[in-house]
Amino acid sequence: MAKNKYIVYVEDDEDDLMLVEEIMEDDNNISLVTLKDGQELLDFLEDQRDGELPILIIMDNNTPRLSGVEASKIIRQDEEWQNIELVILTTSASPTFIDQLSASNVKVITKPSTFTEWQQLFNTFLAQIQ
């Protein structure tokens, strides 16, 4: 079966990227696109404007050039992109931070710290989108 559904994972930490790539390599239905920061994400989405958009974007909040929060604000303002499911991973978040993003239909999840937690998180995402 051809992979036509894909997830975008935005992360500048090489170790976290490797974990996610390892977790996703066995999934035969969902492809993974990895990018380094929010600006790369916006450039990628612009290139995909007339093509297949991702079914899910997972972003680390703390990335160079453009953070997850900043990128999510721009994505939610674009009519074509506003319905893409967005998840921001953060190491810590105040209730106010979470509420502000939730109001924009952006999920906030505490970044996993173990491989097992990463697997559980991605298994949850995959179960929801397949």
Side-chain angles (χ1 to χ4, degrees), residues 7 15 19 31 40 46 58 61 64 71-72 76 95 108-109 111:
I7 293 172
D15 292 334
L19 283 173
S31 297
E40 271 191 28
E46 193 61 46
I58 303 165
N61 188 45
S72 70
R76 285 296 179 244
V108 178
I109 296 176
K111 200 173 202 180

Side-chain angles (χ1 to χ4, degrees), residues 10-130:
V10 182
E11 175 64 72
D12 62 324
D13 183 280
E14 292 296 325
D15 292 334
D16 289 349
L17 279 172
M18 286 178 17
L19 283 173
V20 171
E21 287 171 342
E22 184 176 331
I23 291 165
M24 291 293 298
E25 73 185 0
D26 292 332
D27 192 288
N28 295 320
N29 297 316
I30 307 290
S31 297
L32 178 69
V33 173
T34 60
L35 304 169
K36 299 288 184 193
D37 62 42
Q39 187 59 54
E40 271 191 28
L41 171 63
L42 295 178
D43 294 343
F44 175 84
L45 290 174
E46 193 61 46
D47 289 344
Q48 299 299 312
R49 194 165 282 281
D50 294 323
E52 191 73 30
L53 292 172
I55 55 176
L56 171 65
I57 298 171
I58 303 165
M59 298 181 274
D60 179 29
N61 188 45
N62 296 318
T63 58
R65 296 197 299 166
L66 195 64
S67 74
V69 169
E70 293 165 330
S72 70
K73 287 178 184 176
I74 294 167
I75 290 167
R76 285 296 179 244
Q77 292 173 0
D78 188 287
E79 190 173 302
E80 187 174 342
W81 304 336
Q82 65 187 352
N83 293 320
I84 299 171
E85 186 171 353
L86 292 175
V87 175
I88 291 185
L89 300 177
T90 183
T91 54
S92 63
S94 70
T96 304
F97 177 81
I98 294 169
D99 290 345
Q100 288 172 343
L101 288 169
S102 295
S104 300
N105 197 23
V106 178
K107 293 179 185 173
V108 178
I109 296 176
T110 301
K111 200 173 202 180
S113 58
T114 68
F115 184 77
T116 301
E117 289 173 349
W118 279 104
Q119 282 181 307
Q120 290 170 342
L121 179 64
F122 271 80
N123 286 340
T124 300
F125 290 147
L126 293 171
Q128 293 173 356
I129 60 178
Q130 289 191 31

